[in-house]
Amino acid sequence: MEALHLILTLFVIGMSIFSLISYSSRRADSRASREQLLAKDKHHRLLTQEEQQLIAELDKADWQSTHQQVFYLKGEYLGHGLEGGEMHRTIGGVEVVLPFDALNHVTEDNLAEVVNTDGKKMLVVSLNDSFTLAGGKADQAAREVSNERWQQGAVGVLNDDSELPEEWQVKVLSSRQESLEERQLRYSPSWKIVTALLLAASLACLAWSNDDPLFWGIPALVFLALALWAYSRKRALPEPLKVNYVEGVLRKVNGFYLVGNMEAYVPPEWHESKLLTGQIERFEMRTDHQLMQVPRLGLTHKPKKPAAWVHHLVLGLTALVMLGLGLINFSSPKADLFYSWHWLMGTEATNYHSLAELKAKPPAVGDWVYLRGKARCWGRYGYSGSPCETLLFGAPEDLGPLPEASAAWRELLESQWFEKASLSSSEQLYLTMLAVQSGRHFDPSSLRTLTDPNKLVLLVERACASGCDYATQTLTELMDEDWSTLLEKARKGELEPVLLNSSRAAQVSRSLDNEADTEMRQLANQSWHQLEGKASLGQLLEVWPSPLYWPTETAASDYQSYLALKKMAGPEGQESIAVPAVVIANGERLVLDSGYYMDRPWPFLSGGLYLALSALLALCQLLLAWRGARRQG
């Protein structure tokens, strides 16, 4: 699929480049032909005074002045240009300006008189012995008179000129006003784009008004009123035109249809072979030159009825987009709708004081409940001060006992091994002088004392059955003794308190935590696995915003996480809650939203009204669009 898309893209790019190159090449050839004409051919006469005056009256969009020399130009007529751009007309390969109605006098093989201009084109002053500037101006004046009579529906020959060939004559036999049905077929109903924009602006202000009802609520009402006004306005039917019953010859010149010498618009569904007979026919033509009827062939112009349902589609899609934006951006669209419904209905909350009541009559989605009782945070990890994402409601006070850590590890991790060093003035002076000699800064407050190295060494040995390499290495480096020597001295109580800076003290504490991680992680995992099996003793809740917060930082270390699980499983882990909320989902977990207050209804009413209006408008307008499209076929 991607390869096909690439091939099509390259094809379109290639064709565009080819068209541009061909267009540029034709323009270059046209300039070269003009230069060759001026260089090799000799002019055969000069412009007359009358021709100069007539040229001065012409519209000079691409040129300002002309030369006096008149040249002959022979050759085929060709028109070319880029789509949506200027049409370039050439005779014999030279780009020309065809003034007045000179285009109607073009044939397959042309002989023209031209003069050079200060632009890139040459001006035609006569063509094929049938067009001159004077004749073109006279024809234009006659056409203006004929057009005025045509618009009025004046009966008779429009261009009363006996010198005109018969096939150029147009005779109006009668005239009538355009019927209401014909006017309706020309009617183009509005797509209501302005209404859609005003509707979107009103809904957006409504959504923002939950924070400041007055500031955003007033613009929401104004935009809604304007949207209703724009929706109720109907585009007026076009002014009625004259429909003239005419007699003339329908012909085709250079791709354009003419009745007599008057342009005509032929419906594309009519077959050209049956129309172009070269004989005088009778037609019904509107004054905008649209052919309406050909009685001989029984043809009647019946344009496709405009789609009057498109504005319903535009408004329905706009409402659908706004509904989607609301569902994506609102924190809890369901809660907005549920709260709005209960507030409007004046519903009383269903009270639940215990797990037994909750199990006896489980609430349904959308119910307004008031939950009171004991609950605890429920989860493997949590951070101090952060809300508990999941609660366990109504479980027994004590969910233990949980696996216990060894006494050695508990004492090792819970003991305070360091104290802030207390130095005499002479000791501080001595250490300051040493720091100055070594070029370092000395801060007495950063010093710590390892108060009981004997106990620390013995606990490390006892706690680590398989050896604690990191902790033993840190202690041997700190005390400058091998481990066996340290153990021997510790058993005899010969190790003295050690003075060290805060970074070394932190390194010792870190080494103890790292050594404990493996065992404490396993212990915490066993504890959590045991607790997970007891979740069925209560009801799992997800409440937003949560009424409970994690009391301690449980993710700093695995031992702290284990301690938090022990506290969570015990009586001290439970707290009283009182949660008025709507039920968002039920099942294994009961999902509640308690983010709004019934005595302050606008924050949820604005959201509920936004969603309800968007959904209702989308449904109604899309149904109307479907119904209209189906009726139109």
Side-chain angles (χ1 to χ4, degrees):
M1 195 67 182
E2 291 182 359
L4 179 61
H5 181 267
L6 178 62
I7 291 171
L8 291 175
T9 302
L10 292 175
F11 175 76
V12 171
I13 294 174
M15 291 300 295
S16 301
I17 294 173
F18 175 76
S19 299
L20 185 60
I21 292 174
S22 301
Y23 171 79
S24 302
S25 175
R26 285 194 293 265
R27 296 298 308 278
D29 291 343
S30 176
R31 288 192 294 271
S33 298
R34 184 182 68 157
E35 292 172 1
Q36 184 178 4
L37 174 68
L38 295 173
K40 293 187 177 181
D41 291 8
K42 186 177 180 181
H43 68 277
H44 69 281
R45 69 178 180 89
L46 300 177
L47 288 174
T48 64
Q49 187 71 27
E50 181 185 16
E51 287 173 332
Q52 292 179 36
Q53 291 177 352
L54 291 170
I55 290 173
E57 298 174 6
L58 293 175
D59 180 20
K60 304 177 181 63
D62 300 322
W63 52 277
Q64 296 299 320
S65 61
T66 63
H67 296 213
Q68 296 295 314
Q69 297 87 358
V70 180
F71 294 85
Y72 280 123
L73 180 61
K74 297 180 180 180
E76 180 186 10
Y77 167 80
L78 176 67
H80 70 90
L82 294 175
E83 185 176 355
E86 179 186 2
M87 176 64 73
H88 301 281
R89 309 181 189 278
T90 62
I91 294 178
V94 178
E95 189 170 358
V96 295
V97 176
L98 295 170
F100 300 119
D101 63 342
L103 183 62
N104 295 335
H105 299 265
V106 169
T107 61
E108 293 184 0
D109 189 22
N110 301 280
L111 175 62
E113 285 187 316
V114 296
V115 293
N116 194 25
T117 69
D118 58 355
K120 298 178 181 180
K121 303 176 183 180
M122 301 193 81
L123 175 67
V124 173
V125 295
S126 72
L127 180 62
N128 296 332
D129 294 329
S130 62
F131 170 80
T132 61
L133 290 175
K137 182 179 180 181
D139 289 344
Q140 179 174 296
R143 277 195 306 275
E144 290 174 356
V145 173
S146 298
N147 186 59
E148 185 177 352
R149 297 187 64 208
W150 171 255
Q151 296 296 330
Q152 294 171 353
V155 175
V157 179
L158 287 180
N159 31 18
D160 192 7
D161 187 346
S162 58
E163 295 183 2
L164 285 175
E166 187 179 34
E167 64 269 17
W168 283 36
Q169 296 282 351
V170 179
K171 185 178 181 181
V172 178
L173 303 177
S174 62
S175 180
R176 65 175 177 85
Q177 283 286 94
E178 189 180 22
S179 69
L180 177 61
E181 182 182 1
E182 289 169 334
R183 289 171 63 197
Q184 288 173 340
L185 290 175
R186 285 197 296 122
Y187 174 73
S188 178
S190 170
W191 283 20
K192 302 292 184 183
I193 300 296
V194 173
T195 305
L197 293 175
L198 290 170
L199 175 64
S202 176
L203 289 173
C205 290
L206 179 62
W208 294 329
S209 69
N210 62 347
D211 294 327
D212 193 336
L214 191 62
F215 184 81
W216 290 109
I218 293 175
L221 290 174
V222 171
F223 282 128
L224 181 60
L226 290 174
L228 292 172
W229 171 78
Y231 183 77
S232 64
R233 290 191 69 222
K234 290 186 178 181
R235 184 178 290 176
L237 284 174
E239 290 296 323
L241 299 177
K242 292 275 189 181
V243 179
N244 296 331
Y245 189 47
V246 302
E247 191 176 71
V249 178
L250 180 64
R251 55 201 179 98
K252 193 174 185 180
V253 179
N254 297 323
F256 298 97
Y257 287 99
L258 300 172
V259 172
N261 65 343
M262 184 171 58
E263 188 173 7
Y265 302 127
V266 176
E269 66 271 13
W270 290 3
H271 295 290
E272 181 181 303
S273 58
K274 295 181 179 180
L275 292 171
L276 303 178
T277 62
Q279 304 297 319
I280 294 177
E281 300 262 9
R282 292 187 175 185
F283 311 95
E284 265 200 345
M285 285 180 66
R286 211 164 47 209
T287 50
D288 62 353
H289 303 284
Q290 174 68 56
L291 265 181
M292 302 292 288
Q293 284 190 3
V294 183
R296 178 181 64 84
L297 299 175
L299 295 176
T300 301
H301 177 45
K302 293 183 178 179
K304 188 176 180 181
K305 193 173 181 179
W309 48 268
V310 175
H311 70 282
H312 292 304
L313 182 63
V314 170
L315 293 173
L317 291 176
T318 301
L320 197 61
V321 169
M322 297 304 291
L323 176 62
L325 291 174
L327 293 174
I328 292 171
N329 293 312
F330 288 2
S331 59
S332 182
K334 285 185 178 180
D336 291 334
L337 292 171
F338 294 154
Y339 271 100
S340 299
W341 174 259
H342 290 300
W343 185 84
L344 291 171
M345 295 294 103
T347 309
E348 291 291 333
T350 303
N351 290 281
Y352 293 95
H353 299 88
S354 65
L355 179 64
E357 293 181 6
L358 197 61
K359 295 291 186 181
K361 187 182 177 182
V365 173
D367 281 357
W368 169 238
V369 300
Y370 202 150
L371 205 61
R372 295 181 177 91
K374 294 281 188 176
R376 52 167 50 90
C377 288
W378 195 253
R380 179 69 173 82
Y381 295 106
Y383 293 92
S384 177
S386 64
C388 302
E389 294 181 0
T390 305
L391 308 180
L392 184 63
F393 175 79
E397 283 192 357
D398 194 349
L399 299 177
L402 298 181
E404 291 288 346
S406 68
W409 274 118
R410 287 203 309 273
E411 189 173 2
L412 190 63
L413 295 171
E414 294 175 3
S415 297
Q416 297 295 326
W417 298 108
F418 301 99
E419 292 181 358
K420 188 174 180 180
S422 178
L423 301 176
S424 64
S425 300
S426 58
E427 289 174 330
Q428 288 190 30
L429 179 61
Y430 173 71
L431 292 173
T432 302
M433 291 176 64
L434 288 178
V436 170
Q437 288 177 1
S438 60
R440 291 180 294 180
H441 173 70
F442 173 66
D443 181 9
S445 64
S446 66
L447 292 180
R448 300 290 183 269
T449 300
L450 177 57
T451 56
D452 195 350
N454 296 296
K455 184 179 179 181
L456 176 60
V457 170
L458 292 174
L459 280 174
V460 168
E461 177 67 16
R462 206 171 75 198
C464 300
S466 58
C468 297
D469 295 338
Y470 184 23
T472 55
Q473 182 183 351
T474 302
L475 292 173
T476 54
E477 290 176 357
L478 177 65
M479 302 182 195
D480 198 21
E481 297 278 2
D482 59 67
W483 184 245
S484 59
T485 304
L486 284 177
L487 276 174
E488 185 179 348
K489 289 184 176 183
R491 290 188 182 106
K492 296 177 180 179
E494 296 177 354
L495 295 177
E496 298 292 333
V498 180
L499 187 67
L500 67 168
N501 59 32
S502 56
S503 61
R504 293 299 299 274
Q507 184 182 2
V508 173
S509 298
R510 192 162 50 248
S511 71
L512 298 178
D513 288 337
N514 288 344
E515 297 293 1
D517 274 350
T518 302
E519 183 168 339
M520 293 301 110
R521 186 180 302 119
Q522 184 179 1
L523 194 64
N525 289 338
Q526 290 174 356
S527 300
W528 175 240
H529 181 70
Q530 180 176 323
L531 286 174
E532 276 188 311
K534 297 183 178 181
S536 59
L537 299 176
Q539 173 64 54
L540 290 174
L541 305 177
E542 287 185 16
V543 185
W544 185 91
S546 177
L548 299 183
Y549 293 83
W550 289 101
T552 182
E553 189 175 3
T554 58
S557 72
D558 287 294
Y559 182 64
Q560 289 177 334
S561 179
Y562 163 72
L563 294 178
L565 287 173
K566 285 196 67 176
K567 182 178 180 181
M568 185 180 76
E572 66 273 23
Q574 280 197 327
E575 294 184 50
S576 296
I577 62 169
V579 179
V582 292
V583 180
I584 303 299
N586 60 3
E588 183 182 352
R589 292 172 179 245
L590 197 61
V591 182
L592 305 175
D593 191 302
S594 63
Y596 296 119
Y597 300 96
M598 281 295 185
D599 56 349
R600 284 182 283 169
W602 185 248
F604 59 79
L605 281 178
S606 62
L609 190 60
Y610 175 99
L611 295 169
L613 280 177
S614 299
L616 186 62
L617 282 170
L619 179 63
C620 293
Q621 293 297 323
L622 290 177
L623 281 175
L624 288 171
W626 173 78
R627 182 182 174 189
R630 190 177 178 185
R631 281 185 174 179
Q632 194 165 343

